[in-house]
Amino acid sequence: MAKELKDLTKRSENYSQWYNELVVKADLAEQAPVRGCMVIKPYGYAIWEKMQRILDDKFKETGHQNAYFPLLIPKSFLSKEAEHVEGFAKECAVVTHYRLKNDENGGGVVVDPEARLEEELIVRPTSETIIWATYKNWIKSYRDLPILCNQWANVMRWEMRPRLFLRTAEFLWQEGHTAHATRDEAEAEARKMHSVYADFAEKYMALPVIKGVKSETERFAGALDTYTIESMTQDGKALQCGTAHFLGQNFAKAFGVQYITKENQLEYVWATSWGVSTRLMGALVMAHSDDNGLVLPPMLAPIQVVVIPIYKTQEELDKIDAKVAPLLAEFRAKGISVKYDNADNKRPGFKFADYELKGIPVRLVMGARDMEAGTLEVMRRDTLEKETVAFDGIADYVENLLKDIQDNIYQKALAFRNSRMVEVDSYEDFKQKIEEGYFVMAHWDGTPETEAKIKEETKATIRCNPFDYKKEPGKCVYTGKPSACRVLFARSY
Amino acid sequence: MAKELKDLTKRSENYSQWYNELVVKADLAEQAPVRGCMVIKPYGYAIWEKMQRILDDKFKETGHQNAYFPLLIPKSFLSKEAEHVEGFAKECAVVTHYRLKNDENGGGVVVDPEARLEEELIVRPTSETIIWATYKNWIKSYRDLPILCNQWANVMRWEMRPRLFLRTAEFLWQEGHTAHATRDEAEAEARKMHSVYADFAEKYMALPVIKGVKSETERFAGALDTYTIESMTQDGKALQCGTAHFLGQNFAKAFGVQYITKENQLEYVWATSWGVSTRLMGALVMAHSDDNGLVLPPMLAPIQVVVIPIYKTQEELDKIDAKVAPLLAEFRAKGISVKYDNADNKRPGFKFADYELKGIPVRLVMGARDMEAGTLEVMRRDTLEKETVAFDGIADYVENLLKDIQDNIYQKALAFRNSRMVEVDSYEDFKQKIEEGYFVMAHWDGTPETEAKIKEETKATIRCNPFDYKKEPGKCVYTGKPSACRVLFARSY
């Protein structure tokens, strides 16, 4: 394996290959035997579990409850919301039969042709349709509103160019689906969850994101507004990390969900939906990691600190074991997850490389000389800087160091992104900056036609109209027609 | 809704209908628009989440890690383990296509006949095959063992007679899949997880279970041994609550998973798998609940205590609110989940009935007279007993009461089960006791033929050979042939 570690492609050589290799070598995930699907390995899943726990707490703090809706959706449901089916129905896994039987020719099992379903079922690509078919029975009066449900689930979209975490046929996500009495309340809900996502990305993933609203073309199928958070990868592309949709009354109308108001009127219900997925794992890797492997923000690292003894004799090891034991207890009492690796079947050099690859934020090394001097060697993964620190007070030191690393990773990603954001006013500059991997702020005439032409010619799409950007009018970079404000263009994953 | 509450069928009238109604009326789950599938509603899901969290902690304490494997399994994988396919392949959801398209005749969407899969994919009924196909790449040497993985996932088995929680086409579960170097280690793992399940059932679900091993007929398809925990429902049937399987080398051989031993020999790997599912929700309802609704053990109740004020004027309510506020804080500081229901749009009588239906373990009521007297009315859900208790010290009182309720529910279920267990020595007695809803301990000659005949004639199956039952030889209750010990027969869900 030591050889494998060294073999990691450099980002400067081939960023895309670096990513693909790193996800596998760092034990995050691998291709499954089923085309386009992935196996999330224990180390990768441990990071995803940390994300889940934090997000789930935030959803509950904001008044949401978890529930569970069926995996399979009757085909006819998808046709009920016209725009939704346009955007989604194309690439789905379709269940047509419900039984296998032994092959009469002895060739294993075959599909039983007599067990054909009357109506085909679709493996959910998203659950608006099945959930609104259910909400119809839950909602009669204003007293039944709001409904604030979330589910953690697997979904499938048959991807033609799958990529671990970023685009897989099956992925894990959460999808919130809420029902409200008024338009204002639903819009506020979509914006609130959008903020929850942005805070999570910045505080926990150390991922600077641009908050904004999607263009009509890039909107979720069936939404009136899609709010997005967009991060930047180290090759200067945009990665959509999470979306919250204001769905208006589209799904309520499609599924006939009405409620009786306080004034005894019958009204359609207002809806939102919002989701983040295992794609966040891809965003995390792409934003921070380097040619030595993963760089994990301490708040999401399954192991935050690793302690490695260096010794020649069992006697030396025994002494280090005894010295380190109370320190490990001190870390755990502080809620810091620590691993003491005194396994004798791997050389220290192998261990160093492996923990670098896995992105453990802080490495402590203790040798015979440190024992005498009352010191430890401390290495921080983000900068790979080493220093010698006194053993006394080391737990407090590391606790602060973890905070510092968390902050530093964020600041580094922010500085990088800011260095790669530019305003352009001519189409020539536009094309050049997109080619160089920039986030380009440019004026646009607001039409889907111009958006489509720019995409065709440059592969750049409108990522969003950012909330926190000055709103100055100007002229479209492509047509010269009037524009209300600049929007964010970039190539994307 | 108050009317609905009263309409709950009595257990003595129709136990089966009582269960079906209660699951829906108590907001645990409901039929989905997809045949055989369920929607788990927020209140039901909150109980399942508590179960998940406790079990997940126990899995991690015993050294397991979570991972995630694909939903879809290539059809050919199912044929690889001959016994496994016999037991499982029959009733599965089969994915044959990966795309829909707009109907040319305008009738919504249709399956695109050109998007037919070369090999059909099966929605996992269980994941041994896909996981062992993956483990093949993870295991080379004894250093890679053991592998101790668990996944929380949805699975599908096309049930012909679906029943909420007990038997649904789709259900949620966890499935542990472990790989070991030796037979002893794998057997010890299966028994360890079997004990984890039994402890969970007894301590948290307050559910007495019989631990034992399945007969060959009732074993998991592909296992050498299946360990089971069996509970008793109030109509005297057995309910299989969890199983742990020792799989021998069957899956390792089917998927070619070998490892190099320390002695440089090539050996097949030993396997276990183990799972519990949302079926536990059904076991919980069936064991403890009554004609007024759910009875939840405090350790799994999403709300453990509800406080209801009784008042005539806003002034009275304000006083009660102020009096109760520090008590609520005290409960929360003790980790007791409490709800204060001072909503003014429902009458107290409605609230009482609703919280009884939902199985909230402790209800506190405070009225104007209690305010004067410095008391509260305390009702415990398990016995419906009410008493008047001093306000001072009430938090400690309730904390102890919750422990008492937890224990009482368990003891009640245990006493009931023990009263319904009997040894029989003649087939006439056997048939009568089975008909009366007993767990029958009887001698059996050990042959699948006798087991099948007894099942055909009485609908009773061998639930297990219990671990903790005297091992005395005797004569088979059906054939009179020699028997090594009694085994447990019952009708089952």
Side-chain angles (χ1 to χ4, degrees):
Chain A
M1 190 187 266
K3 186 169 174 300
E4 277 180 28
L5 304 191
K6 273 193 232 150
D7 285 349
L8 181 62
T9 296
K10 288 191 180 4
R11 288 165 295 173
S12 56
E13 286 169 16
N14 186 334
Y15 184 79
S16 187
Q17 195 174 322
W18 163 83
Y19 172 80
N20 293 345
E21 288 176 11
L22 179 53
V23 168
V24 173
K25 284 180 203 274
D27 282 339
L28 299 181
E30 64 184 35
Q31 297 291 349
V34 185
R35 194 193 155 284
C37 294
M38 66 178 160
V39 172
I40 306 179
K41 298 181 78 174
Y43 191 62
Y45 202 85
I47 300 170
W48 174 240
E49 274 184 307
K50 287 209 142 195
M51 291 187 182
Q52 282 189 301
R53 189 66 69 99
I54 296 161
L55 285 165
D56 195 66
D57 286 347
K58 287 185 185 293
F59 299 157
K60 284 173 180 156
E61 278 165 23
T62 46
H64 302 87
Q65 294 179 296
N66 287 326
Y68 188 75
F69 298 87
L71 172 72
L72 300 182
I73 300 178
K75 192 189 65 181
S76 60
F77 281 27
L78 293 185
S79 320
K80 292 200 178 184
E81 212 292 306
E83 289 177 39
H84 189 62
V85 72
E86 270 308 303
F88 257 106
K90 306 294 183 293
E91 316 294 341
C92 296
V94 186
V95 175
T96 55
H97 292 73
Y98 59 85
R99 193 164 56 224
L100 300 173
K101 61 173 191 175
N102 292 329
D103 186 357
E104 285 162 16
N105 305 321
V109 287
V110 292
V111 178
D112 184 344
E114 291 184 13
R116 192 178 171 87
L117 290 167
E118 273 184 46
E119 181 181 0
E120 294 91 347
L121 298 168
I122 313 304
V123 179
R124 61 185 162 214
T126 181
S127 301
E128 277 76 9
T129 56
I130 189 90
I131 288 178
W132 280 86
T134 305
Y135 281 179
K136 183 177 169 56
N137 302 319
W138 294 5
I139 300 169
K140 305 287 172 212
S141 127
Y142 70 93
R143 286 188 211 89
D144 301 319
L145 295 172
I147 291 177
L148 305 172
C149 278
N150 175 62
Q151 80 172 351
W152 292 94
N154 52 345
V155 285
M156 288 203 85
R157 299 172 188 180
W158 211 264
E159 293 289 350
M160 290 298 131
R161 294 172 303 130
R163 192 120 194 246
L164 290 171
F165 289 126
L166 296 179
R167 222 172 23 242
T168 47
E170 182 189 11
F171 56 94
L172 304 184
W173 78 345
Q174 60 68 218
E175 47 182 326
H177 294 271
T178 68
H180 305 266
T182 67
R183 179 183 182 117
D184 283 355
E185 198 184 297
E187 285 199 292
E189 164 78 10
R191 283 172 182 259
K192 182 199 284 175
M193 300 322 290
H194 184 221
S195 289
V196 165
Y197 290 155
D199 286 353
F200 172 76
E202 305 217 327
K203 280 192 200 140
Y204 295 89
M205 296 177 67
L207 194 64
V209 291
I210 293 173
K211 291 171 68 176
V213 62
K214 289 280 184 192
S215 66
E216 196 185 327
T217 307
E218 299 286 331
R219 230 177 248 162
F220 175 73
L224 297 195
D225 265 321
T226 287
Y227 303 105
T228 181
I229 56 173
E230 304 277 329
S231 72
M232 182 186 272
T233 61
Q234 291 176 62
D235 61 342
K237 287 190 186 169
L239 207 160
Q240 178 181 305
C241 291
T243 47
H245 314 293
F246 167 59
L247 302 171
Q249 295 174 312
N250 286 347
F251 286 93
K253 284 178 179 167
F255 289 89
V257 187
Q258 289 180 293
Y259 74 100
I260 297 167
T261 66
K262 275 186 193 171
E263 296 75 27
N264 217 27
Q265 300 293 311
L266 208 54
E267 293 281 358
Y268 282 105
V269 175
W270 298 86
T272 82
S273 66
W274 31 275
V276 293
S277 73
T278 37
R279 184 163 232 241
L280 289 179
M281 296 287 295
L284 191 70
V285 173
M286 286 229 163
H288 306 308
S289 299
D290 64 23
D291 293 346
N292 295 304
L294 293 182
V295 173
L296 294 179
M299 283 176 145
L300 295 179
I303 301 166
Q304 295 171 307
V305 179
V306 63
V307 185
I308 301 173
I310 310 278
Y311 57 93
K312 293 207 183 80
T313 64
Q314 184 63 40
E315 196 189 345
E316 276 181 18
L317 178 59
D318 290 345
K319 278 187 193 161
I320 298 174
D321 285 354
K323 179 83 176 172
V324 165
L327 176 60
L328 302 179
E330 205 179 343
F331 279 133
R332 286 175 188 133
K334 284 175 179 288
I336 294 171
S337 65
V338 60
K339 177 175 175 178
Y340 179 50
D341 187 353
N342 61 356
D344 62 359
N345 59 354
K346 287 167 190 159
R347 287 171 299 101
F350 176 89
K351 291 180 186 177
F352 293 178
D354 192 41
Y355 292 119
E356 271 176 44
L357 179 68
K358 298 270 173 67
I360 314 298
V362 173
R363 182 183 82 199
L364 303 180
V365 177
M366 190 162 211
R369 223 176 310 170
D370 291 305
M371 283 292 282
E372 279 174 33
T375 58
L376 280 165
E377 185 195 84
V378 178
M379 192 194 77
R380 52 187 289 174
R381 176 63 185 88
D382 58 337
T383 61
L384 297 172
E385 286 165 356
K386 286 182 222 169
E387 55 182 337
T388 300
V389 176
F391 188 90
D392 292 340
I394 188 73
D396 288 340
Y397 182 88
V398 169
E399 190 175 30
N400 287 324
L401 182 58
L402 289 169
K403 287 179 194 151
D404 192 44
I405 294 171
Q406 181 82 27
D407 186 54
N408 180 56
I409 294 176
Y410 176 77
Q411 293 300 340
K412 196 176 159 190
L414 182 63
F416 175 76
R417 187 197 71 192
N418 288 345
S419 75
R420 290 284 200 108
M421 272 189 84
V422 66
E423 290 186 359
V424 304
D425 293 309
S426 78
Y427 194 51
E428 280 314 302
D429 288 350
F430 183 99
K431 285 188 284 190
Q432 188 188 329
K433 287 299 174 188
I434 288 294
E435 194 58 45
E436 291 172 8
Y438 274 74
F439 274 18
V440 172
M441 295 299 305
H443 282 289
W444 160 60
D445 64 18
T447 68
E449 293 74 26
T450 300
E451 194 179 358
K453 280 179 190 156
I454 291 175
K455 182 177 178 183
E456 196 187 319
E457 293 174 19
T458 69
K459 294 188 194 133
T461 51
I462 298 177
R463 305 313 305 160
C464 67
N465 184 344
F467 287 165
D468 301 326
Y469 204 84
K470 60 185 179 201
K471 303 288 173 199
E472 285 175 352
K475 285 180 179 173
C476 176
V477 74
Y478 191 81
T479 61
K481 290 183 189 165
S483 150
C485 62
R486 291 174 194 273
V487 295
L488 172 62
F489 283 90
R491 288 181 185 160
S492 72
Y493 276 96
Chain B
M1 190 186 268
K3 186 170 174 301
E4 278 179 28
L5 304 192
K6 271 194 234 149
D7 284 349
L8 182 62
T9 296
K10 288 190 181 3
R11 287 166 295 172
S12 56
E13 287 170 16
N14 186 334
Y15 184 79
S16 187
Q17 196 175 321
W18 163 82
Y19 173 81
N20 293 345
E21 288 176 10
L22 178 53
V23 167
V24 173
K25 284 180 202 274
D27 282 338
L28 300 182
E30 64 184 35
Q31 297 290 349
V34 185
R35 196 194 154 283
C37 294
M38 66 179 161
V39 172
I40 306 179
K41 299 180 79 174
Y43 191 62
Y45 201 85
I47 299 170
W48 174 241
E49 274 185 306
K50 287 208 140 195
M51 291 186 180
Q52 281 190 301
R53 188 67 69 98
I54 296 161
L55 285 165
D56 196 66
D57 286 347
K58 287 183 185 293
F59 299 157
K60 285 174 179 156
E61 279 165 22
T62 47
H64 302 87
Q65 294 180 296
N66 287 326
Y68 188 76
F69 298 88
L71 172 72
L72 300 182
I73 300 178
K75 192 190 65 181
S76 60
F77 281 26
L78 293 185
S79 320
K80 292 201 178 183
E81 213 292 306
E83 289 177 39
H84 189 62
V85 71
E86 270 308 303
F88 257 106
K90 307 294 183 290
E91 316 294 341
C92 295
V94 186
V95 175
T96 56
H97 292 74
Y98 59 84
R99 193 164 55 225
L100 300 173
K101 62 173 192 174
N102 292 328
D103 186 357
E104 285 162 15
N105 304 320
V109 287
V110 293
V111 178
D112 184 344
E114 292 183 14
R116 192 176 172 87
L117 290 167
E118 274 185 46
E119 180 181 2
E120 295 91 349
L121 299 168
I122 312 303
V123 179
R124 62 185 161 214
T126 182
S127 301
E128 278 77 8
T129 57
I130 190 89
I131 287 179
W132 280 87
T134 304
Y135 282 179
K136 182 176 170 55
N137 302 319
W138 293 7
I139 300 169
K140 305 287 173 215
S141 127
Y142 69 92
R143 285 188 212 88
D144 301 319
L145 296 172
I147 292 177
L148 305 171
C149 279
N150 175 63
Q151 79 171 353
W152 291 94
N154 52 345
V155 285
M156 289 204 86
R157 299 172 188 180
W158 212 266
E159 294 289 349
M160 289 298 130
R161 294 171 304 131
R163 193 121 193 246
L164 290 171
F165 289 126
L166 296 179
R167 220 170 26 241
T168 47
E170 182 189 12
F171 56 93
L172 303 183
W173 78 346
Q174 59 68 219
E175 46 181 327
H177 294 271
T178 69
H180 305 268
T182 66
R183 178 183 184 117
D184 283 355
E185 198 184 297
E187 286 198 294
E189 164 78 10
R191 284 172 183 258
K192 183 200 283 175
M193 300 322 290
H194 184 220
S195 288
V196 165
Y197 289 155
D199 286 353
F200 172 76
E202 304 217 326
K203 280 193 200 139
Y204 296 89
M205 296 177 67
L207 194 64
V209 290
I210 293 173
K211 291 171 67 177
V213 61
K214 288 280 184 192
S215 66
E216 197 186 326
T217 306
E218 298 285 332
R219 230 177 246 163
F220 176 73
L224 298 195
D225 265 320
T226 288
Y227 302 106
T228 182
I229 56 172
E230 303 276 330
S231 72
M232 182 186 271
T233 60
Q234 291 176 64
D235 60 344
K237 288 191 187 169
L239 206 160
Q240 178 180 305
C241 291
T243 48
H245 313 293
F246 167 58
L247 302 171
Q249 296 175 313
N250 287 348
F251 286 94
K253 285 178 178 165
F255 288 90
V257 188
Q258 290 180 293
Y259 75 100
I260 297 166
T261 67
K262 275 187 192 171
E263 296 75 27
N264 216 28
Q265 300 292 311
L266 208 54
E267 293 280 357
Y268 283 105
V269 175
W270 297 86
T272 83
S273 66
W274 30 275
V276 294
S277 74
T278 37
R279 185 162 232 241
L280 290 179
M281 295 288 296
L284 191 71
V285 173
M286 286 228 164
H288 306 308
S289 298
D290 64 22
D291 293 346
N292 295 306
L294 294 181
V295 174
L296 294 178
M299 282 175 145
L300 295 178
I303 302 165
Q304 295 172 306
V305 179
V306 62
V307 185
I308 301 173
I310 310 278
Y311 56 93
K312 293 208 184 80
T313 64
Q314 184 62 41
E315 197 189 346
E316 276 179 19
L317 177 60
D318 291 344
K319 278 187 192 159
I320 298 174
D321 285 354
K323 178 84 175 171
V324 164
L327 176 59
L328 301 178
E330 207 180 342
F331 278 133
R332 285 174 190 135
K334 284 175 179 287
I336 295 171
S337 66
V338 60
K339 178 174 175 179
Y340 179 51
D341 187 354
N342 60 356
D344 64 358
N345 59 354
K346 288 168 189 157
R347 287 171 298 102
F350 177 90
K351 292 179 186 177
F352 293 177
D354 192 40
Y355 292 119
E356 273 176 44
L357 179 67
K358 298 271 174 66
I360 315 298
V362 173
R363 182 184 82 198
L364 304 179
V365 177
M366 191 163 212
R369 224 176 310 169
D370 291 305
M371 283 292 282
E372 278 174 32
T375 58
L376 279 165
E377 185 195 83
V378 179
M379 191 194 77
R380 52 186 290 175
R381 176 62 185 87
D382 59 338
T383 61
L384 298 172
E385 286 166 356
K386 286 183 221 168
E387 55 183 336
T388 301
V389 176
F391 188 91
D392 293 340
I394 188 72
D396 288 339
Y397 182 88
V398 168
E399 190 175 31
N400 287 323
L401 181 58
L402 288 169
K403 286 180 194 152
D404 191 44
I405 293 172
Q406 181 81 27
D407 185 55
N408 181 56
I409 293 177
Y410 175 77
Q411 293 300 339
K412 195 176 160 190
L414 182 63
F416 175 76
R417 188 198 70 192
N418 289 344
S419 76
R420 291 283 200 110
M421 271 189 85
V422 67
E423 290 186 2
V424 305
D425 292 309
S426 78
Y427 194 50
E428 280 314 302
D429 288 352
F430 182 100
K431 286 188 284 190
Q432 187 187 329
K433 288 298 176 189
I434 288 293
E435 195 59 45
E436 290 172 9
Y438 273 74
F439 274 18
V440 172
M441 295 300 303
H443 282 289
W444 161 60
D445 64 18
T447 68
E449 293 74 27
T450 301
E451 193 179 359
K453 279 178 190 157
I454 291 175
K455 182 177 177 182
E456 198 188 317
E457 293 173 19
T458 68
K459 295 185 194 140
T461 51
I462 298 176
R463 304 314 305 159
C464 67
N465 184 343
F467 287 164
D468 301 325
Y469 204 83
K470 60 185 177 198
K471 303 290 173 198
E472 285 174 353
K475 285 181 181 172
C476 175
V477 74
Y478 191 80
T479 62
K481 290 183 188 164
S483 150
C485 61
R486 293 174 192 272
V487 295
L488 172 62
F489 284 90
R491 288 182 184 159
S492 71
Y493 276 97

